[in-house]
Amino acid sequence: MKKLLAISPYFPPLNAADMQRIRTSLPYFKACDWDVTVVIVDERYTDQVTDNLLLQSIPQDIKIHKVKAFSKRWTSKLGLGSIALRSLWFYHQTVNRILKGEKFDLIYFSTTQFPVCVLGSYWKSRFKVPYVIDMQDPWHSDYYKDKPKEQRPRKYWFSYRLNKYLEPLAMKKVNGLISVSEKYIVDLKARYPQINDVPEATITFGAFEPDVKIATDNHAIFDAMLTPGFINVVYVGRGGADMHRAISLLFEALKKGLNANPELFGRLKFWFVGTSYAPAGEGIATIAPLAIQFGIENSVIEITDRVSYYQSLALLQDADALFIPGSDDPQYTASKIYPYLLTQKPLLAIFNEQSSAVSILKTCATGANVFTFNNRAEATDSTIDELYKILAACANNELQPVKLRPHFEDYSAKNLTAKQAELFDKAIKHFEINRYKR
């Protein structure tokens, strides 16, 4: 059996989006002939929301090494709060010890804490172990370069320049790329021609059915959040200005409904939960101000604080209908669509027409109400009219739940883990061929 060393700074019980690929793949790697060891950052050094129920989904035979990190209390004074930067030295030391004592066939970086990926080149050179990087988001990107200051992430000036310097250190020596979006890989290969022959695979996050059972079995431990007597439509996930285009279409249709028939459309209550990555109590609302602009603030509730992972699933189960907004960035693909589909509730989604989520939703399910927009023109009256009809049906409790198609299985975590394993084998072959060439 081949041996994989997976690098994932965030890991259960932390509820971080970028550890979900590893978490939901771990139960299936052995069947693909891979024995996995995971190196994580000890949760004591992070301020992420924890959910101990996540530990129930981790196979007991998985070997896990925990590394330390410099205290954020001290590093934040220097502007270095990133867990990747705070743990980099400890990853270097810990993995060095692991690789000295044990032979691994491949190192797999699956994280959006990208600075740790620069260690791949070092470990490859020193220990002759190839590595693969999982691009769950863009690393160095110009997306926010022309955006107003208030729409940029915190410390954008520093992170933009750091990413521009670190990305090539990791990418120029990589042996394989996995990405949730094909565009991410296209951009990387255009930026670094020397990796044009590197094996690649576009693999979304997988649908992990055991999570539904864990959420259902523990539903009673979560406090009820939704408002009785209303049709509660729920979205759980990040907010941000890049989602305003999609959400504005919804809000415009809702405003039209409230003006035309306030009694009917007043039954609707839209929930946006966990919209900020900031620590509890420090998140800045990005959806509620938009609702105020449309004059529909009484119908919209935004909770910036993140909830635990299984509480988010319980919220989806409690909802009368679900809503998924997409980013105006066409590269964006919403990994969260699978839990939404597994809940099999009435669903409304609004995405950029180029997002891969559109085709996935249409391929995987029937009954999903999927709308698209482009960045070239304002919404047409017909789009708002169609959304108005969907909201009216929702308010009347007439929206039909989605039904999963057989193709949904293609996107299961089990099948997508097998695709990762195929890429791993190709990456090892790429490494061997190029090593002999030199």
Side-chain angles (χ1 to χ4, degrees):
M1 186 168 289
K2 291 160 289 188
K3 298 178 73 171
L4 181 72
L5 189 65
I7 308 297
S8 178
Y10 291 132
F11 194 77
L14 298 177
N15 177 25
D18 67 343
M19 63 84 190
Q20 299 289 9
R21 168 97 77 191
I22 285 292
R23 180 183 73 89
T24 59
S25 299
L26 286 177
Y28 309 112
F29 273 128
K30 268 214 166 78
C32 300
D33 198 36
W34 282 94
D35 182 37
V36 184
T37 296
V38 188
V39 189
I40 69 176
V41 175
D42 192 310
E43 61 269 20
R44 293 177 299 170
Y45 297 93
T46 76
D47 52 13
Q48 288 281 322
V49 173
T50 60
D51 186 347
N52 286 320
L53 291 176
L54 284 164
L55 295 171
Q56 294 185 17
S57 66
I58 305 300
Q60 293 185 356
D61 61 346
I62 297 296
K63 288 170 284 187
I64 300 173
H65 296 269
K66 293 186 177 183
V67 307
K68 297 179 181 179
F70 291 114
S71 171
K72 192 173 181 179
R73 183 174 61 177
W74 303 110
T75 60
S76 61
K77 295 179 180 179
L78 302 173
L80 302 176
S82 158
I83 191 63
L85 297 176
R86 292 191 290 118
S87 65
L88 193 62
W89 169 253
F90 298 97
Y91 260 113
H92 175 275
Q93 296 298 92
T94 300
V95 174
N96 277 0
R97 288 195 296 270
I98 294 171
L99 293 176
K100 285 178 182 177
E102 194 173 350
K103 172 63 179 173
F104 283 86
D105 297 280
L106 187 73
I107 298 171
Y108 183 31
F109 294 91
S110 186
T111 178
T112 56
Q113 301 303 310
F114 290 119
V116 299
C117 297
V118 300
L119 291 171
S121 178
Y122 165 75
W123 290 326
K124 177 181 174 180
S125 175
R126 180 171 179 181
F127 297 102
K128 311 307 177 189
V129 183
Y131 64 99
V132 168
I133 296 178
D134 175 16
M135 298 299 296
Q136 300 180 21
D137 281 327
W139 184 348
H140 173 58
S141 170
D142 290 331
Y143 175 77
Y144 289 102
K145 198 171 182 180
D146 60 351
K147 298 293 187 292
K149 185 177 180 180
E150 63 272 12
Q151 293 185 19
R152 293 176 176 177
R154 293 174 62 189
K155 302 175 184 175
Y156 172 75
W157 186 92
F158 173 77
S159 61
Y160 178 85
R161 285 155 180 80
L162 181 68
N163 292 340
K164 186 176 182 179
Y165 172 73
L166 293 183
E167 185 185 80
L169 298 181
M171 288 300 165
K172 290 180 180 180
K173 300 294 183 180
V174 73
N175 296 103
L177 291 169
I178 290 175
S179 176
V180 297
S181 170
E182 183 180 3
K183 185 65 164 55
Y184 297 168
I185 295 176
V186 170
D187 288 349
L188 286 170
K189 291 196 169 185
R191 195 176 298 153
Y192 309 110
Q194 58 267 60
I195 65 170
N196 278 336
D197 67 334
V198 165
E200 64 183 69
T202 301
I203 307 173
T204 65
F205 282 22
F208 192 60
E209 292 195 49
D211 280 343
V212 177
K213 184 178 188 308
I214 294 173
T216 301
D217 291 347
N218 294 277
H219 194 281
I221 71 174
F222 302 116
D223 294 332
M225 290 181 62
L226 305 181
T227 307
F230 287 85
I231 303 297
N232 292 289
V233 185
V234 173
Y235 165 71
V236 183
R238 75 163 182 87
D242 63 310
M243 292 188 172
H244 280 187
R245 184 73 188 274
I247 296 171
S248 291
L249 293 174
L250 172 73
F251 284 0
E252 189 171 344
L254 179 57
K255 179 180 180 180
K256 178 179 178 179
L258 289 168
N259 289 337
N261 191 339
E263 182 177 351
L264 174 63
F265 285 83
R267 299 175 190 169
L268 296 170
K269 190 76 73 175
F270 283 86
W271 295 78
F272 295 82
V273 180
T275 55
S276 174
Y277 290 131
E282 298 181 19
I284 298 174
T286 55
I287 310 302
L290 189 63
I292 292 172
Q293 289 180 29
F294 279 88
I296 57 170
E297 59 269 26
N298 292 333
S299 298
V300 176
I301 298 172
E302 180 180 9
I303 299 173
T304 59
D305 289 354
R306 300 191 71 195
V307 296
S308 70
Y309 180 69
Y310 289 104
Q311 185 174 10
S312 73
L313 297 186
L315 272 171
L316 300 184
Q317 293 172 345
D318 289 343
D320 297 292
L322 307 176
F323 173 58
I324 313 178
S327 170
D328 58 18
D329 182 355
Q331 301 181 49
Y332 176 80
T333 177
S335 58
K336 65 180 73 69
I337 62 178
Y338 301 116
Y340 281 69
L341 290 174
L342 284 169
T343 306
Q344 297 191 58
K345 295 271 185 168
L347 174 64
L348 169 63
I350 305 176
F351 282 95
N352 187 300
E353 64 183 5
Q354 297 180 46
S355 170
S356 62
V358 176
S359 61
I360 292 173
L361 283 167
K362 292 180 177 179
T363 300
C364 288
T366 59
N369 300 283
V370 182
F371 288 78
T372 62
F373 62 89
N374 60 53
N375 294 329
R376 299 183 300 276
E378 295 300 319
T380 63
D381 290 341
S382 61
T383 299
I384 302 304
D385 289 344
E386 288 300 313
L387 280 167
Y388 173 92
K389 292 175 184 176
I390 295 295
L391 295 184
C394 185
N396 279 317
N397 249 331
E398 295 174 348
L399 274 190
Q400 296 301 306
V402 299
K403 293 182 180 179
L404 301 181
R405 297 178 185 267
H407 283 302
F408 185 73
E409 182 60 25
D410 295 341
Y411 296 92
S412 69
K414 180 179 180 180
N415 279 345
L416 297 185
T417 301
K419 291 184 180 298
Q420 292 173 70
E422 291 174 10
L423 188 280
F424 295 163
D425 291 335
K426 293 177 182 178
I428 293 172
K429 185 176 180 180
H430 175 270
F431 170 70
E432 293 294 338
I433 291 173
N434 284 278
R435 181 165 64 167
Y436 292 139
K437 282 183 179 178
R438 289 193 294 272

